[in-house]
Amino acid sequence: MPRYIAIRTDKNQRTFILRELEQGRLRQGWGSKPEHDLRLLRKRVHAGKRLSDEEARVWRNRRLLDTEPDGLEPGDVLLVPNLPEQGRWILVRVKEGAYDFAPVRLSEHQGPDYGHIVPVEPVRDPSGKIGIVDPNNKLVDARLRATVRNLSRMWSIDALGKAVDVLVEAIEKGLDTRRPQPKDEKAETFFEAIKKAAWQEIETKYHAAELEHLVHRVLACIYEGGRVEHWGGVGEKGADLIVYTRDPLGLEYKIGVQVKRFGGVHDDIHALRQIEQAKEHHRIDAGVIVTTAVETSDAFEEKRAELESTLGIDIRVITRDELIELVMKHSGTARIVDGRAIADLLRASPQSDTLQEHTPVTDRVYEEIERLVEVEGHPSSFGVWHQNRGGGSHLIHIEVSGAMTEATVRAVETRLRRLIPSATSERIEVNVAAATTTIKAVVQVPS
């Protein structure tokens, strides 16, 4: 395994240092006198002799010796900052061959120096030119930029070996490592990486119809002050979700939402037929199709435009990238919305004749129980429904997977009691069956 080391050279002698590198010699300063030969100093150190202050400063270069335990060895990769100019880097590999000592005089006005020599081979591009790295190139790991601020002569960067390998491979393939990445491009690349990670998380955590729950939460944040009802499944009549919102004059509008899992190009018009069905049965004022496809086909767009004209409503399509951006934009506010006390959410809920799913109340209860179930080590296989019966009376209905232990079910029951400490009365019934355990809580919340 090669080691990775950063090593500073004399920035005042860049032309000389670079010319020597072209010849396969890495030269280091603090080597002007014969007694500065690290091989001689090593013998003195191992003999237990005391070094002078000057010799001690020279001995700081000891890692240039291949005979030292942590000395340079063939195959090690060196990052040399500020070559061929200030702020740029070059990379070299240590070659076979031993350390040598041969000071040189660079001018008649200057004494000999730079006697320490390590055999190296610069990393070159396919044309044979020495590769040059701009620290702000798109291929450079930010941690490499940070470590180069180190003022030491020589230090290990083994922890960043993979980042160095990326640059070595790029140079040898002829990729551009010289050009700094523009700030706008850097930001765009950063956000694209975040979007990619967000999509992978969505793909992993929300399978098939589960995506409706995520879309429900996002829409609840977008239409703050309105409400979102879940209709997906049997009897949905064309709408997975229905958004109820009001305009500034207080007039209510209904938006029918279809959520589809697709890859590539969305050209299936079934979602359009469902929007048409939602218009007939739910009297929606607009339609939204949320698809995980990257884009829609021309044929689909033609059918969408035709249906808009026929129904006299807008039909909006949200594809994968926009869905990810909406999730990223509103995911933070979802917890704020759900952060209200459960009693307040119960009081604010509309009275209904049937159990409702995916309301602010059920979302809040779901979130609390989901955290509890995760702690208990079980998959979050459960559903939550709520009914405001009027007069402060509420029914919270929870169906939990029968695979959960009795202890976990009891923990869910206990958490439910603690959620509504202001209730004037409560009655919780637990019905344990083979496949599903049902928990029903009837609570009275004062107005």
Side-chain angles (χ1 to χ4, degrees), residues 39-280:
R39 293 167 296 192
L40 299 178
L41 291 177
R42 183 176 187 274
K43 290 180 180 180
R44 289 173 57 81
V45 169
H46 282 259
K49 296 182 178 180
R50 183 181 179 85
L51 299 180
S52 67
D53 290 344
E54 181 181 78
E55 289 172 334
R57 285 195 292 270
V58 174
W59 184 240
R60 288 173 58 191
N61 287 320
R62 63 177 182 76
R63 292 189 65 186
L64 298 177
L65 280 175
D66 56 342
T67 52
E68 283 297 291
D70 56 351
L72 298 181
E73 297 177 353
D76 289 348
V77 182
L78 312 181
L79 185 154
V80 188
N82 298 319
L83 279 179
E85 58 197 30
Q86 183 70 26
R88 299 289 188 93
W89 310 336
I90 64 171
L91 301 167
V92 302
R93 290 190 181 94
V94 178
K95 294 194 304 184
E96 292 285 349
Y99 161 90
D100 199 6
F101 186 78
V104 294
R105 185 185 295 274
L106 298 183
S107 72
E108 61 181 18
H109 306 293
Q110 185 176 353
D113 201 350
Y114 310 102
H116 308 293
I117 302 173
V118 175
V120 296
E121 176 56 43
V123 177
R124 301 176 185 271
D125 64 23
S127 71
K129 294 181 179 179
I130 293 180
I132 298 173
V133 179
D134 188 289
N136 292 304
N137 184 268
K138 65 181 179 181
L139 298 174
V140 175
D141 190 311
R143 294 171 297 174
L144 282 175
R145 288 195 294 274
T147 193
V148 171
R149 300 189 187 106
N150 192 320
L151 298 179
S152 302
R153 290 188 204 174
M154 191 174 179
W155 68 99
S156 172
I157 53 173
D158 281 342
L160 300 172
K162 290 183 179 179
V164 175
D165 285 340
V166 167
L167 296 176
V168 170
E169 183 178 358
I171 292 170
E172 293 179 335
K173 286 184 175 180
L175 302 181
D176 176 21
T177 59
R178 296 172 176 244
R179 184 178 69 91
Q181 186 178 27
K183 291 182 179 179
D184 290 346
E185 181 184 307
K186 181 178 179 180
E188 184 177 340
T189 303
F190 172 72
F191 287 117
E192 283 301 319
I194 292 179
K195 285 170 62 176
K196 182 179 180 181
W199 168 242
Q200 290 176 341
E201 189 72 6
I202 291 172
E203 252 195 329
T204 302
K205 297 294 179 66
Y206 295 94
H207 180 67
E210 293 174 353
L211 186 61
E212 295 170 14
H213 181 71
L214 176 64
V215 174
H216 177 276
R217 292 176 66 84
V218 172
L219 291 175
C221 294
I222 294 173
Y223 293 96
E224 187 176 0
R227 73 181 190 277
V228 184
E229 292 185 358
H230 183 264
W231 286 76
V234 179
E236 70 176 43
K237 294 182 172 62
D240 291 323
L241 303 165
I242 295 181
V243 179
Y244 297 84
T245 185
R246 294 183 182 276
D247 69 8
L249 295 178
L251 301 176
E252 186 174 69
Y253 290 87
K254 297 167 67 175
I255 304 169
V257 182
Q258 271 294 326
V259 182
K260 299 295 183 187
R261 287 295 299 254
F262 275 96
V265 179
H266 188 129
D267 58 1
D268 189 335
I269 64 171
H270 180 61
L272 294 173
R273 296 195 186 103
Q274 289 176 302
I275 292 295
E276 185 175 14
Q277 185 183 17
K279 172 66 174 174
E280 178 182 352

Side-chain angles (χ1 to χ4, degrees), residues 134-422:
D134 188 289
N136 292 304
N137 184 268
K138 65 181 179 181
L139 298 174
V140 175
D141 190 311
R143 294 171 297 174
L144 282 175
R145 288 195 294 274
T147 193
V148 171
R149 300 189 187 106
N150 192 320
L151 298 179
S152 302
R153 290 188 204 174
M154 191 174 179
W155 68 99
S156 172
I157 53 173
D158 281 342
L160 300 172
K162 290 183 179 179
V164 175
D165 285 340
V166 167
L167 296 176
V168 170
E169 183 178 358
I171 292 170
E172 293 179 335
K173 286 184 175 180
L175 302 181
D176 176 21
T177 59
R178 296 172 176 244
R179 184 178 69 91
Q181 186 178 27
K183 291 182 179 179
D184 290 346
E185 181 184 307
K186 181 178 179 180
E188 184 177 340
T189 303
F190 172 72
F191 287 117
E192 283 301 319
I194 292 179
K195 285 170 62 176
K196 182 179 180 181
W199 168 242
Q200 290 176 341
E201 189 72 6
I202 291 172
E203 252 195 329
T204 302
K205 297 294 179 66
Y206 295 94
H207 180 67
E210 293 174 353
L211 186 61
E212 295 170 14
H213 181 71
L214 176 64
V215 174
H216 177 276
R217 292 176 66 84
V218 172
L219 291 175
C221 294
I222 294 173
Y223 293 96
E224 187 176 0
R227 73 181 190 277
V228 184
E229 292 185 358
H230 183 264
W231 286 76
V234 179
E236 70 176 43
K237 294 182 172 62
D240 291 323
L241 303 165
I242 295 181
V243 179
Y244 297 84
T245 185
R246 294 183 182 276
D247 69 8
L249 295 178
L251 301 176
E252 186 174 69
Y253 290 87
K254 297 167 67 175
I255 304 169
V257 182
Q258 271 294 326
V259 182
K260 299 295 183 187
R261 287 295 299 254
F262 275 96
V265 179
H266 188 129
D267 58 1
D268 189 335
I269 64 171
H270 180 61
L272 294 173
R273 296 195 186 103
Q274 289 176 302
I275 292 295
E276 185 175 14
Q277 185 183 17
K279 172 66 174 174
E280 178 182 352
H281 290 277
H282 297 290
R283 307 291 184 185
I284 62 173
D285 301 292
V288 173
I289 297 172
V290 179
T291 175
T292 55
V294 176
E295 59 182 344
T296 54
S297 67
D298 292 341
F300 179 91
E301 286 301 318
E302 289 178 9
K303 292 292 185 182
R304 182 192 61 78
E306 289 176 9
L307 188 59
E308 278 188 330
S309 178
T310 301
L311 300 181
I313 64 173
D314 290 331
I315 301 175
R316 176 87 150 75
V317 179
I318 296 174
T319 53
R320 181 188 301 178
D321 282 352
E322 185 177 2
L323 171 61
I324 295 170
E325 289 173 1
L326 289 173
V327 170
M328 292 167 59
K329 180 178 180 179
H330 295 284
S331 59
T333 59
R335 288 194 176 275
I336 296 174
V337 173
D338 290 341
R340 291 178 290 170
I342 186 67
D344 293 337
L345 295 174
L346 289 169
R347 294 188 190 99
S349 64
Q351 189 173 335
S352 63
D353 297 327
T354 59
L355 288 168
Q356 303 293 317
E357 188 180 16
H358 293 307
T359 68
V361 171
T362 59
D363 283 353
R364 179 77 168 86
V365 175
Y366 187 98
E367 184 179 286
E368 287 291 331
I369 296 177
E370 184 178 40
R371 283 201 290 264
L372 175 64
V373 171
E374 287 176 352
V375 168
E376 294 290 329
H378 295 280
S380 53
S381 177
F382 60 93
V384 182
W385 291 263
H386 164 246
Q387 179 187 5
N388 181 345
R389 294 175 165 180
S393 177
H394 298 265
L395 169 61
I396 297 175
H397 180 104
I398 304 172
E399 291 186 1
V400 185
S401 169
M404 291 186 184
T405 64
E406 180 180 353
T408 303
V409 173
R410 294 302 175 189
V412 171
E413 178 186 357
T414 300
R415 177 61 61 88
L416 190 58
R417 292 182 188 278
R418 293 176 179 173
L419 268 177
I420 319 170
S422 60

